[in-house]
Amino acid sequence: MSFKGGVFAKQIAKLASGTALAQLINIISLPLLTRLYTPSQFGVFAVFLASVAVLSSISTLKYENAILDEEDSQDAKNCTVLTAISGVFIVVPLLLYCIFSYYFDFSLIGIDWLTALFLTFAIIFTNTFTALYYWCNRLQHYNFMTKGRVFAAIAVAFISLLIGYLELGTVNGLIVGSLVGMAVNMVYLILKLNISFSTVRQISFEKLFVLFVKLKRFPLFLVPSTLLDRVAAQIHIFVFSSVFGSAIAGAMGVYNRVVGLPISLIGNAVGDVYKRRISELLKSGKSCRRAFIKTGLALFTIAAPASCVLFFFAPEVFTFVLGEEWKQAGEIASFLSVNFLLAFVVSPLAGILYLRENQKIDLLIQIVLVVLLAIGMSIAVYENSFKIALSAYAISFGVKYLVQLIVSFKLAK
């Protein structure tokens, strides 16, 4: 299929417009949540989300990328199943830990039996949703992808606010709301794709094993690279929480949530459609350079003004919208405004690193990132300096995004 800019733009608009409503719900609910839950409570929630992010980075074994990469439709369908069930190697240990932690009343690194149970459900929901989401992307079912996000956002906001207002467990309201949102999104896609028990019974485990071996490059290279990426992206939450306190971790978590709104709204929508387009171009042996440049310029045009606003006015904006106690989150946003710009532009373009035989390159980039972060965070902990920790985060990710941009541009040939 040839690259058609008009169709490409319409697909992005369809995906982004549906996502806009979901993000609007998040935007409306966030000022209410920040007045019901304290920065410390958001810090605990941030640690939970960081744990989910790290575990989910390896739970699918990255076979979801093969759903787009496979030329044969049946193989792609089997890859969808493979993606959904791959989480069993994480779910089983979590359940065992949950049982032993409950009966013997112990916890490791702050994870008790209830948190382990929450993490178990999160992995099940995330794996199934990821598989179905990529299958919808392959089939261009963008309406399903966007409506699921809207229903999930409504569920998250309603449950989190309800528990917060009723004071039925403080931070658990944020966690339970998040889990309900994941479940709603997953169930919606299952219903829209008409997946039933009879469909599941038709699965050939022999074919799944063949694909498991044939596509071993995805878990072999993308699992460690994605794990390193997620650890690098979340390690500051664990460091901030354990060294500088949960309130700072909460401020960082709210910053991530706020800047994640435009990235989810536009950046991810562009990335989803862009990845499918370049996959088609690569399969036909054509250059992706034109698509790369047009997409990059469009993303930069959108993100540059927002980055300037964050740099100059973030503390005032955060205080006005979220409340006085969230000024520190605004100061973090101002400090990381350039990182926001780079993340918004580069992350969608770097999708080419997950296709064809490019996974080795992505692994090397993530190794460099983790090394830089480990050095920076070690110095910050030794000096007990939050400023050094934040600077290490900014510099490490800045280097990562610039390297990804250069490498992705070369691969776009």
Side-chain angles (χ1 to χ4, degrees):
M1 180 183 293
S2 61
F3 178 81
K4 297 180 180 179
V7 175
F8 183 61
K10 288 179 181 178
Q11 291 171 339
I12 292 174
K14 182 185 293 184
L15 201 54
S17 61
T19 308
L21 181 55
Q23 296 305 337
L24 179 61
I25 296 169
N26 291 330
I27 292 170
I28 294 172
S29 65
L30 186 57
L32 300 175
L33 291 173
T34 53
R35 287 167 171 81
L36 291 173
Y37 300 96
T38 66
S40 295
Q41 292 165 350
F42 264 95
V44 176
F45 180 51
V47 172
F48 170 78
L49 290 182
S51 301
V52 173
V54 171
L55 291 176
S56 63
S57 70
I58 60 176
S59 62
T60 64
L61 297 179
K62 308 317 294 179
Y63 282 116
E64 68 268 24
N65 293 284
I67 298 173
L68 295 177
D69 207 38
E70 283 297 297
E71 296 185 14
D72 183 76
S73 180
Q74 186 58 47
D75 282 346
K77 186 179 293 186
N78 287 331
C79 286
T80 304
V81 177
L82 195 58
T83 301
I85 67 175
S86 292
V88 66
F89 79 97
I90 286 182
V91 168
V92 171
L94 277 175
L95 283 176
L96 291 176
Y97 176 86
C98 179
I99 294 171
F100 282 106
S101 176
Y102 176 79
Y103 280 105
F104 295 101
D105 192 24
F106 73 92
S107 64
L108 296 176
I109 59 173
I111 298 178
D112 58 10
W113 71 271
L114 185 58
T115 304
L117 184 62
F118 285 153
L119 288 173
T120 301
F121 281 114
I123 294 304
I124 294 173
F125 297 156
T126 300
N127 264 47
T128 307
F129 164 74
T130 300
L132 299 179
Y133 185 88
Y134 271 74
W135 179 247
C136 286
N137 193 8
R138 180 184 177 96
L139 300 181
Q140 302 182 48
H141 288 328
Y142 297 115
N143 286 334
F144 296 170
M145 296 162 70
T146 55
K147 288 181 180 179
R149 287 175 176 172
V150 172
F151 295 140
I154 294 172
V156 170
F158 177 76
I159 297 298
S160 300
L161 290 171
L162 179 63
I163 295 178
Y165 275 116
L166 297 178
E167 298 182 353
L168 299 178
T170 60
V171 72
N172 279 347
L174 296 170
I175 296 176
V176 173
S178 175
L179 288 174
V180 171
M182 296 177 192
V184 167
N185 212 346
M186 176 192 72
V187 171
Y188 173 77
L189 291 183
I190 289 175
L191 294 176
K192 296 305 292 185
L193 292 171
N194 296 318
I195 297 174
S196 61
F197 287 108
S198 61
T199 306
V200 176
R201 284 198 299 267
Q202 296 174 5
I203 297 172
S204 170
F205 288 95
E206 182 180 350
K207 291 181 179 178
L208 290 181
F209 181 77
V210 171
L211 273 178
F212 179 87
V213 176
K214 172 189 171 185
L215 302 173
K216 62 181 181 295
R217 70 180 186 275
F218 287 99
L220 188 61
F221 295 111
L222 282 187
V223 165
S225 68
T226 306
L227 177 61
L228 290 173
D229 179 62
R230 292 290 177 85
V231 169
Q234 304 299 330
I235 191 173
H236 64 285
I237 294 294
F238 296 108
V239 172
F240 292 172
S241 178
S242 60
V243 179
F244 306 115
S246 57
I248 289 182
M252 191 70 187
V254 168
Y255 156 76
N256 288 332
R257 191 162 181 169
V258 171
V259 300
L261 292 175
I263 292 176
S264 297
L265 172 60
I266 302 173
N268 288 352
V270 173
D272 290 338
V273 179
Y274 173 76
K275 187 184 291 187
R276 188 183 63 80
R277 283 296 188 186
I278 61 174
S279 175
E280 294 171 350
L281 292 170
L282 289 172
K283 289 174 186 176
S284 60
K286 297 179 180 178
S287 172
C288 307
R289 185 68 59 85
R290 182 169 175 265
F292 181 96
I293 294 174
K294 289 182 65 176
T295 304
L297 288 175
L299 289 168
F300 180 82
T301 302
I302 296 169
S307 180
C308 290
V309 171
L310 287 177
F311 182 79
F312 290 107
F313 306 110
E316 291 78 9
V317 172
F318 273 63
T319 300
F320 176 75
V321 176
L322 304 180
E324 185 65 34
E325 61 184 339
W326 295 100
K327 182 178 180 181
Q328 188 171 41
E331 293 170 347
I332 292 172
S334 177
F335 190 85
L336 298 177
S337 57
V338 175
N339 285 72
F340 163 77
L341 175 63
L342 290 173
F344 191 95
V345 175
V346 177
S347 294
L349 298 177
I352 195 172
L353 294 172
Y354 296 93
L355 301 175
R356 311 317 266 175
E357 305 295 331
N358 301 326
Q359 293 86 12
K360 296 179 183 178
I361 301 173
D362 185 63
L363 175 58
L364 292 175
I365 293 174
Q366 302 307 334
I367 291 174
V368 172
L369 172 62
V370 169
V371 170
L372 289 175
L373 270 175
I375 295 173
M377 290 296 170
S378 298
I379 296 173
V381 171
Y382 178 78
E383 297 289 340
N384 194 29
S385 171
F386 172 62
K387 186 175 181 180
I388 293 178
L390 200 59
S391 299
Y393 176 88
I395 293 171
S396 300
F397 274 91
V399 171
K400 171 208 170 186
Y401 291 132
L402 291 175
V403 172
Q404 281 185 327
L405 181 65
I406 295 171
V407 173
S408 298
F409 180 74
K410 291 184 176 180
L411 292 175
K413 289 182 180 180

